[in-house]
Amino acid sequence: MSAIETVLKEDRVFPPSEEFVKQANISGMEAYKALCAKAEQDYEGFWRDLANEHISWHKPFTQVLDESKAPFFKWFADGELNISYNCIDRHLKDKADKTAIIFEKDDGTSEKITYQQLHDKVCEFANALKSLDVQKGDRVIIYMPMITEAVIAMQACARIGAIHSVVFGGFSAGAVKDRIKDAAAKVIITANESVRGGKRTPLKATVDEALANGDCPSIEKVIVFKRTDTEVAWTDNRDVWWHDIIKGQSTVCEPEVMNAEDTLFILYTSGSTGKPKGVEHHIGGYLLGAILSMNWVFDYKPSDVYWCTADVGWITGHTYICYGPLAVGATQIVFEGVPTYPDASRFWQMIEKHKVTTFYTAPTAIRSLIKLGADLPEKFDLSSLRLLGSVGEPINPEAWMWYYEKVGGSRCPIVDTWWQTETGSNMIAPIPGAFPTKPGSCTLPLPGIMVDIVDETGNSVPNGQGGSLVIRRAFPSLLRTVYNDDNRFVSTYFPEEFGHKLYLAGDSAARDEDGYIRIMGRIDDVLNVSGHRLGTMEIESALVAHPLVAEAAVVGKPHDIKGEAVVAFVMLKGDRPVGEEAQKIAAELKAWVAKEIGKIAQPDDIRFGENLPKTRSGKIMRRLLRSLAKGEEVTQDTSTLENPQVMEQLSQSI
Ligand code: WTA
């Protein structure tokens, strides 16, 4: 069976219940088609009306789309707004006392804050940032645990027009340093420690390490939130406590008037070459994407209790925790912990406790919870749920069915949402009151999103045939550039081969006979490990930075729970190690990668060879390595290899 046949084999169809359709924001296929038709006929008018309807503008825009410098597109370019105003202030008229955030701590206790309280805290902290001379356009790194203050910090930056760049709390000092330097950040906001799954991680100490030796001269201040009682080392003049700097600050801070095309944030993500890229999103278009998908895909209702389990260190946590839910005035959960602590029923317990209606998580979490307790959801009252979501990687039909039946009681539509850091918001996803869903398919593009699947020449491929996923027209929430690297933006996303006209997603996909899309995986050297994006080159660079390593090649192999696992093929400077020595060095290299990048990038499997298989022109034969990693029979021609026994060596796991 070909790869496409394998991914298309699931053909059950699950229409939404009549009850769901009746209450849905978009009911029935005709309503969806009408929206798509409007976008087809009058693309700018379509986006203009939505932007006017959903965003509170300080000054309305007159021009919708400026394509004069394509692919550097501008949306609503002369409009003025503030995203923090849109997320908080505009709700105070009628929702001041509505719960904005239910914060559930790692230990199971929870606290609530209302929109009014959120407003006051964001203003206080925004004023504190100003007191440290943080100004419009300055870059601020946020390296925080998953606590309410992470959202407050992001909103406060947005309120004063500072550009935030959130770095996932699991990244190492090296990764933090790279991001600080690339962004030339002025301030970093962190916590003394994070608390997850009963374990504490020293965030402030990691920041100290990143800033050691005067490596990051742009940083003027380190703001430290005191999450635990643990003492931390202190650098006077540089370090300040969060609780000290908010003391005496006013709870009023006028939102800075921003242009729709001012930068909201930079978020670093892995690509196929070199260092992570700073994906840059601008305010107006990004906000519109977040709001529309909350309404269309999550079918948002004011009575919802919404919970997205992502970390704010990733795009999902930006759009579907910090901005989207707040922009529509939702009550949402911010969760500090992990799904498996104190045991594998944590998610189900929390859904029961907080009467969650809308639950958005990743396939990797679903798969691990099936493994740890497939029957656990039955022990809880999950009847509050009305909609389930999945994001970050393909969801296999088995996991989809379990999620649908055991968690959703065969009652809740599943929205399998395909999108990327670069697209800012959901692109291909079910409209739950309109589309029948199919396990393993993210279904159809959202209205106005001109998705296509093309061959190498940019021509559409017929249904049933795989190809490269592209988007034919620019849309508001698309990234604007790669921070400080316009050339990389163009060559990566609007490549020459498609005449700089198509947005290249980097995924392969196929449509079935109904036009439903299935994502088959990345076509570049990007791995998706537990829904986290990792560049093979990044891990290779980390490995070759180790004094023992001469050369390294990294590929992925399928993994039951993580989706993909990291396999590293390594050639040392000295002899190929065997036995205990090989084990010792493999362990050392794993720890090294964890230190250089973060634990998420640590190879699962390291294999040593006297050399690596290369083509005549000296390129590493990655396809062959992928076969070796999977334990498949090697079908590629290996006759040109200088040292044929290397194949035998590299097929051995340590
Ligand atoms: C993958 C995460 C299949 C895809 C929001 C994409 C998916 C990459 C899905 C982006 C999905 C995301 N089905 N694959 N529903 N959602 N992906 O930037 O390969 O962390 O290109 O954004 O994740 O990862 P990123």
Side-chain angles (χ1 to χ4, degrees):
M1 227 193 286
S2 75
I4 302 161
E5 283 164 3
T6 325
V7 293
L8 293 182
K9 75 175 188 278
E10 177 62 59
D11 53 10
R12 274 177 291 183
V13 178
F14 296 85
S17 68
E18 246 174 65
E19 213 185 322
F20 194 95
V21 175
K22 244 191 272 159
Q23 59 81 62
N25 292 344
I26 298 182
S27 294
M29 223 39 177
E30 291 313 311
Y32 163 71
K33 285 188 183 150
L35 280 169
C36 293
K38 176 160 186 211
E40 288 279 350
Q41 286 150 15
D42 178 11
Y43 194 65
E44 291 194 26
F46 171 80
W47 291 114
R48 179 194 59 228
D49 292 352
L50 290 167
N52 281 328
E53 182 187 347
H54 293 284
I55 292 177
S56 303
W57 294 94
H58 180 80
K59 187 183 127 220
F61 57 90
T62 58
Q63 192 183 8
V64 180
L65 170 61
D66 175 359
E67 296 181 289
S68 60
K69 298 206 171 64
F72 297 93
F73 299 96
K74 287 187 177 163
W75 286 90
F76 322 122
D78 60 348
E80 290 176 353
L81 77 167
N82 183 288
I83 196 168
S84 168
Y85 176 88
N86 274 269
C87 290
I88 304 173
D89 306 47
R90 67 166 166 169
H91 306 313
L92 296 182
K93 259 194 306 246
D94 56 343
K95 294 195 239 354
D97 296 328
K98 180 175 178 177
T99 300
I101 293 176
I102 303 170
F103 172 50
E104 169 129 340
K105 292 188 191 173
D106 192 57
D107 69 7
T109 55
S110 44
E111 291 162 3
K112 294 180 179 178
I113 61 169
T114 63
Y115 272 92
Q116 183 67 53
Q117 289 166 326
L118 179 64
H119 168 271
D120 295 355
K121 284 171 184 283
V122 167
C123 285
E124 238 172 27
F125 190 67
N127 284 325
L129 288 174
K130 282 186 176 174
S131 76
L132 299 179
D133 194 34
V134 177
Q135 297 178 14
K136 184 170 169 174
D138 283 343
R139 274 82 55 218
V140 174
I141 299 275
I142 299 179
Y143 184 62
M144 297 275 279
M146 263 307 292
I147 56 178
T148 307
E149 283 72 16
V151 176
I152 293 173
M154 293 163 81
Q155 286 283 344
C157 287
R159 194 167 186 92
I160 64 173
I163 299 167
H164 60 70
S165 183
V166 184
V167 179
F168 173 57
F171 277 128
S172 68
V176 175
K177 179 158 72 183
D178 287 347
R179 287 155 176 78
I180 295 173
K181 282 173 131 175
D182 192 75
K186 188 169 189 176
V187 166
I188 175 159
I189 307 168
T190 189
N192 57 343
E193 288 185 312
S194 70
V195 186
R196 285 180 87 227
K199 288 196 224 80
R200 292 167 175 221
T201 308
L203 297 181
K204 165 69 163 62
T206 305
V207 169
D208 288 342
E209 197 185 328
L211 301 182
N213 312 320
D215 266 355
C216 300
S218 64
I219 292 285
E220 292 174 10
K221 293 285 176 204
V222 178
I223 303 173
V224 188
F225 182 79
K226 197 166 195 283
R227 171 62 189 88
T228 65
D229 288 331
T230 307
E231 300 279 329
V232 285
W234 207 251
T235 304
D236 292 332
N237 301 328
R238 186 197 73 184
D239 299 347
V240 287
W241 285 111
W242 176 298
H243 56 260
D244 283 339
I245 54 162
I246 60 169
K247 240 180 245 158
Q249 296 294 352
S250 162
T251 54
V252 175
C253 172
E254 278 308 312
E256 188 77 30
V257 176
M258 303 295 289
N259 186 272
E261 281 294 343
D262 280 333
T263 305
L264 174 61
F265 64 82
I266 304 164
L267 182 59
Y268 288 86
T269 191
S270 296
S272 47
T273 51
K275 289 187 309 170
K277 304 178 275 236
V279 167
E280 189 176 314
H281 280 287
H282 291 188
I283 301 168
Y286 172 81
L287 174 61
L288 185 60
I291 296 175
L292 293 178
S293 46
M294 284 304 297
N295 285 316
W296 291 348
V297 181
F298 295 101
D299 193 50
Y300 170 69
K301 297 281 150 34
S303 55
D304 278 338
V305 176
Y306 165 98
W307 181 18
C308 166
T309 68
D311 191 287
V312 287
W314 312 114
I315 190 68
T316 309
H318 281 60
T319 311
Y320 297 105
I321 296 178
C322 183
Y323 293 110
L326 295 178
V328 296
T331 294
Q332 70 168 325
I333 292 177
V334 169
F335 177 43
E336 182 177 39
V338 297
T340 49
Y341 178 82
D343 61 46
S345 66
R346 183 67 183 266
F347 276 178
W348 325 130
Q349 259 177 45
M350 282 179 63
I351 291 171
E352 178 181 281
K353 173 177 165 193
H354 299 295
K355 301 198 167 42
V356 173
T357 60
T358 313
F359 180 65
Y360 192 28
T361 195
T364 188
I366 298 169
R367 288 191 295 263
S368 73
L369 293 176
I370 294 174
K371 191 153 180 201
L372 293 170
D375 296 331
L376 285 174
E378 281 165 24
K379 301 202 164 66
F380 296 86
D381 177 5
L382 306 182
S383 59
S384 57
L385 285 172
R386 65 181 197 90
L387 183 66
L388 300 173
S390 170
V391 60
E393 51 181 318
I395 177 164
N396 48 311
E398 299 73 27
W400 195 103
M401 284 308 306
W402 180 86
Y403 197 29
Y404 186 74
E405 288 172 349
K406 300 284 177 181
V407 181
S410 303
R411 170 186 81 247
C412 308
I414 294 183
V415 291
D416 173 2
T417 59
W418 178 87
W419 59 297
Q420 308 177 294
T421 305
E422 293 86 343
T423 68
S425 55
N426 296 168
M427 294 283 111
I428 310 173
I431 302 230
F435 300 3
T437 49
K438 297 183 189 182
S441 167
C442 51
T443 71
L444 303 167
L446 295 183
I449 306 299
M450 309 299 183
V451 168
D452 202 357
I453 301 173
V454 301
D455 61 20
E456 306 78 57
T457 56
N459 290 318
S460 308
V461 299
N463 289 353
Q465 197 173 311
S468 178
L469 190 67
V470 298
I471 302 177
R472 288 200 174 273
R473 291 205 69 169
F475 49 90
S477 70
L478 183 65
L479 83 160
R480 294 300 189 263
T481 191
V482 171
Y483 189 67
N484 274 341
D485 203 344
D486 286 346
N487 291 338
R488 197 168 170 197
F489 165 74
V490 176
S491 63
T492 310
Y493 301 113
F494 290 92
E496 172 91 70
E497 62 200 276
F498 298 146
H500 303 301
K501 289 250 179 318
L502 304 184
Y503 168 76
L504 182 68
D507 279 338
S508 63
R511 288 188 177 104
D512 69 10
E513 65 282 3
D514 299 322
Y516 272 42
I517 297 169
R518 282 174 202 267
I519 306 294
M520 287 147 65
R522 300 286 306 192
I523 42 180
D524 50 11
D525 293 321
V526 171
L527 306 182
N528 193 328
V529 179
S530 301
H532 302 323
R533 253 169 90 164
L534 297 169
T536 52
M537 288 256 307
E538 261 175 279
I539 307 176
E540 287 163 8
S541 315
L543 283 166
V544 296
H546 189 282
L548 290 178
V549 176
E551 202 169 11
V554 166
V555 300
K557 74 168 178 193
H559 186 279
D560 280 356
I561 294 189
K562 300 203 265 190
E564 251 182 324
V566 179
V567 183
F569 296 91
V570 174
M571 182 174 101
L572 296 184
K573 287 176 183 156
D575 291 339
R576 173 175 180 261
V578 287
E580 256 178 47
E581 202 205 345
Q583 274 174 11
K584 205 181 112 234
I585 298 178
E588 188 178 322
L589 293 180
K590 286 182 190 178
W592 173 264
V593 173
K595 195 175 156 296
E596 289 284 298
I597 305 175
K599 259 214 168 100
I600 52 168
Q602 193 169 289
D604 295 84
D605 186 359
I606 294 190
R607 303 179 184 191
F608 295 105
E610 280 164 10
N611 44 37
L612 298 179
K614 296 204 178 139
T615 61
R616 272 170 209 262
S617 60
K619 274 202 183 133
I620 292 178
M621 298 168 81
R622 284 178 184 278
R623 212 151 60 84
L624 189 150
L625 291 178
R626 276 194 279 270
S627 301
L628 283 178
K630 285 188 206 161
E632 285 173 357
E633 207 184 314
V634 170
T635 51
Q636 292 93 331
D637 177 15
T638 56
S639 58
T640 56
L641 290 183
E642 268 171 52
N643 178 358
Q645 83 203 40
V646 74
M647 295 294 293
E648 170 59 27
Q649 295 172 355
L650 294 176
S651 61
Q652 293 166 17
S653 282
I654 307 280

